[in-house]
Amino acid sequence: MNNKVYISNRNKLLKKISDNSIVILFAGEAKQKTADEKYAFTPNRNFYYMTGVHEEHHILVLEKINKKVNEVLYILRPDPVMEKWNGKTLRKDEAKNITGINEIKFLDELFNDLNNKFISGKIKNVYLDLERRSYEDDLTETQKFAKNLRDKYANVQIENAYNLIAELRKIKCAEEIEEIKKAIDITTKGVELLMKKCKCNMKEYELEAYFDFYIKQQGVKDFAFKTIAASGKNSTVLHYVSNDSLLRDGDLILFDLGAQINYYNADISRTFPVNGKFTERQKEVYESVLKVNETIISMIRPGITFLELNNKANELIGEECIKLGLINNKNDFKKYYYHSIGHSLGLDTHDVGERWGELKEGMVLTVEPGIYIEEENIGIRIEDDVLITKDGNEVLTKNCIKSIKDIENFMNNI
Ligand code: GLY
Ligand code: MN
Ligand code: MN
């Protein structure tokens, strides 16, 4: 992506922080997987959002002192011996081009620079990305840094940059939307391939492999998340990922998948019959889910809240479950639908930012109603990705086959 995007992201963050502050963001590092291997590295998304750099270890420092701003990226000093094993690391001129930051220094200069800043007394606040998932998790690199900072420089106040950056990330710029569209287009073609290759008595993983092969062929480096390929009863388990059952004649298969392009994600669910023909009962349930999907999408526009969409979806699914003969009281829908209607989508598949508030132009949201009837081996989810526009919305996944007729015709080459 053009470095103008990262420059603009940094400017927005610098506007939000108090004067006489610095922001320190870490790229992160690959976690150890086994004795001889690490997990594949993926950059901290807030660091990436501010820099476009996707290598481990580098650190970004932004400062605003007496309203004057300054930006420095500290990169790993190239190590010729290590480079013989792991390949070249980022160079100063490359870092400048990618980030649009003029001052690039080496990491071994960082602590001296920081010490000078802190003892000068000019820095009142240090903003760090203090995201935490749970109380039990180990301390992140940033939290260890914060702990050290508290011990060494008692006069500086530690602030959390996480929510500030999350609020920025909720609104996507044109370049980000382009990346999401690319991920969606490749995912859509991958879904078509799955529909074409699907046959009774394959294993779920065997069919899934066509998607893997296709997106890799398109240059995709990673998935948005682990693909869910859930046939029959498995489709009623929301996070079924073992994908090792046999595709049985007469069953449906639910795919929930996404390609990732430059760390921007697609998130699509489609459900189709293994043998290419829905049964009457499967059609009824599918039409119910589709109706909720389409009604909720039609409500999406700036000003409506996610909470309103979610409440409406619950109500509609309750009504559909009554029509399907599953329940008598629409408030009992939770037996057959047990998640929310969607989430923000971007650099994270479940993207950051406050979730329940007003929708604004530039947000991207998933709409993913489902009905899961374990006793009938039927689980159906239909998930689209929707951009909120000035006057309404654009369904970014509009080319992904969705109606019963289109699915059956496509699967049967009609
Ligand atoms: N694939 C995860 C989700 O749809 O939210
Ligand atoms: Mn999904
Ligand atoms: Mn989703």
Side-chain angles (χ1 to χ4, degrees):
M1 231 169 2
N2 191 302
N3 65 21
K4 274 194 237 150
V5 175
Y6 312 120
I7 293 170
S8 153
N9 293 344
R10 293 194 299 272
N11 285 341
K12 285 183 200 154
L13 178 61
L14 279 161
K15 278 209 183 87
K16 282 181 172 237
I17 63 168
S18 321
D19 200 10
N20 302 317
S21 302
I22 60 171
V23 184
I24 307 176
L25 297 177
F26 296 73
E29 50 194 44
K31 287 211 176 351
Q32 201 69 31
K33 185 177 179 187
T34 60
D36 60 352
E37 195 189 6
K38 289 185 170 182
Y39 285 103
F41 173 72
T42 195
N44 173 282
R45 295 299 190 263
N46 288 342
F47 173 86
Y48 179 77
Y49 183 74
M50 293 294 163
T51 61
V53 170
H54 55 86
E55 269 185 26
E56 54 185 331
H57 303 305
H58 310 310
I59 297 176
L60 174 68
V61 177
L62 306 175
E63 68 175 40
K64 179 155 85 176
I65 295 175
N66 293 330
K67 304 210 164 63
K68 196 173 160 296
V69 301
N70 192 42
E71 306 178 328
V72 187
L73 183 71
Y74 290 85
I75 65 170
L76 209 59
R77 191 183 288 275
D79 177 337
V81 176
M82 286 313 289
E83 287 189 345
K84 286 198 185 300
W85 288 82
N86 300 325
K88 275 198 167 5
T89 56
L90 193 68
R91 296 297 192 258
K92 285 190 172 180
D93 53 342
E94 293 169 336
K96 250 186 212 187
N97 281 338
I98 295 169
T99 60
I101 296 173
N102 287 321
E103 197 175 352
I104 312 289
K105 298 176 93 172
F106 289 123
L107 276 177
D108 48 34
E109 302 170 271
L110 173 66
F111 289 101
N112 200 26
D113 286 1
L114 286 181
N115 185 53
N116 288 339
K117 283 184 206 304
F118 293 142
I119 59 176
S120 74
K122 289 180 190 156
I123 310 266
K124 302 269 180 289
N125 312 291
V126 180
Y127 287 78
L128 301 171
D129 177 353
L130 296 170
E131 179 192 14
R132 269 203 86 75
R133 295 267 163 208
S134 80
Y135 185 77
E136 286 82 16
D137 285 351
D138 288 343
L139 292 186
T140 63
E141 189 183 359
T142 309
Q143 276 146 357
K144 283 182 205 152
F145 181 85
K147 206 162 174 275
N148 246 320
L149 206 62
R150 276 188 206 106
D151 291 346
K152 293 195 170 115
Y153 307 98
N155 55 332
V156 296
Q157 174 76 26
I158 293 175
E159 299 283 349
N160 194 355
Y162 179 79
N163 291 328
L164 300 180
I165 303 173
E167 283 311 297
L168 297 177
R169 279 176 49 188
K170 265 166 64 174
I171 310 287
K172 276 75 186 175
C173 67
E175 289 84 349
E176 292 181 285
I177 292 163
E178 275 314 301
E179 300 294 325
I180 295 174
K181 280 184 176 170
K182 280 186 226 161
I184 287 173
D185 287 347
I186 291 172
T187 305
T188 296
K189 291 262 164 30
V191 169
E192 286 180 0
L193 187 65
L194 293 171
M195 287 184 184
K196 277 278 186 257
K197 296 289 183 187
C198 184
K199 293 210 172 49
C200 307
N201 299 323
M202 284 173 109
K203 290 280 191 156
E204 292 160 341
Y205 58 71
E206 205 178 335
L207 183 55
E208 177 193 4
Y210 284 101
F211 180 74
D212 300 356
F213 180 74
Y214 176 74
I215 68 166
K216 195 155 195 182
Q217 210 178 29
Q218 300 306 306
V220 170
K221 296 209 174 83
D222 204 356
F223 300 96
F225 51 89
K226 172 88 182 76
T227 296
I228 296 167
S231 64
K233 203 187 286 292
N234 300 334
S235 58
T236 65
V237 178
L238 295 183
H239 288 169
Y240 172 83
V241 288
S242 42
N243 301 355
D244 56 1
S245 297
L246 212 55
L247 304 190
R248 292 183 323 178
D249 196 2
D251 274 351
L252 295 172
I253 181 157
L254 185 162
F255 269 97
D256 186 345
L257 36 61
Q260 182 180 88
I261 297 273
N262 291 326
Y263 306 100
Y264 286 89
N265 298 294
D267 185 7
I268 299 180
S269 299
R270 287 294 183 265
T271 310
F272 49 91
V274 165
N275 63 14
K277 273 276 188 205
F278 287 88
T279 65
E280 285 313 307
R281 178 60 170 169
Q282 289 165 350
K283 276 186 186 172
E284 277 178 0
V285 183
Y286 195 95
E287 289 297 359
S288 286
V289 179
L290 187 59
K291 189 169 159 196
V292 180
N293 167 287
E294 289 175 343
T295 308
I296 297 299
I297 290 175
S298 72
M299 293 168 65
I300 293 182
R301 56 181 158 70
I304 194 162
T305 64
F306 182 80
L307 182 65
E308 287 171 272
L309 294 179
N310 198 57
N311 289 343
K312 185 69 184 176
N314 290 345
E315 191 187 322
L316 290 172
I317 287 183
E319 286 166 11
E320 292 302 316
C321 286
I322 293 175
K323 278 193 225 156
L324 292 168
L326 296 170
I327 52 176
N328 296 317
N329 179 336
K330 68 180 181 183
N331 296 325
D332 294 337
F333 70 87
K334 284 203 172 105
K335 184 169 177 213
Y336 296 101
Y337 169 65
Y338 25 87
H339 53 81
S340 69
I341 192 60
H343 51 85
S344 184
L345 178 72
L347 279 173
D348 285 296
T349 302
H350 287 192
D351 212 20
V352 291
E354 198 280 320
R355 182 175 193 179
W356 299 98
E358 261 189 31
L359 304 188
K360 297 200 176 103
E361 184 183 356
M363 289 184 183
V364 179
L365 206 67
T366 67
V367 176
E368 48 183 302
I371 294 180
Y372 311 95
I373 317 170
E374 193 186 340
E375 57 274 24
E376 298 184 39
N377 293 342
I378 294 178
I380 294 173
R381 179 162 62 256
I382 307 173
E383 177 175 25
D384 285 301
D385 302 339
V386 181
L387 168 69
I388 289 88
T389 58
K390 187 160 169 281
D391 311 308
N393 71 70
E394 179 188 346
V395 182
L396 301 177
T397 43
K398 56 181 169 290
N399 293 327
C400 194
I401 302 173
K402 190 158 78 164
S403 74
I404 289 179
K405 187 162 159 280
D406 287 349
I407 291 173
E408 289 193 339
N409 285 350
F410 184 77
M411 290 184 77
N412 295 289
N413 302 314
I414 295 169

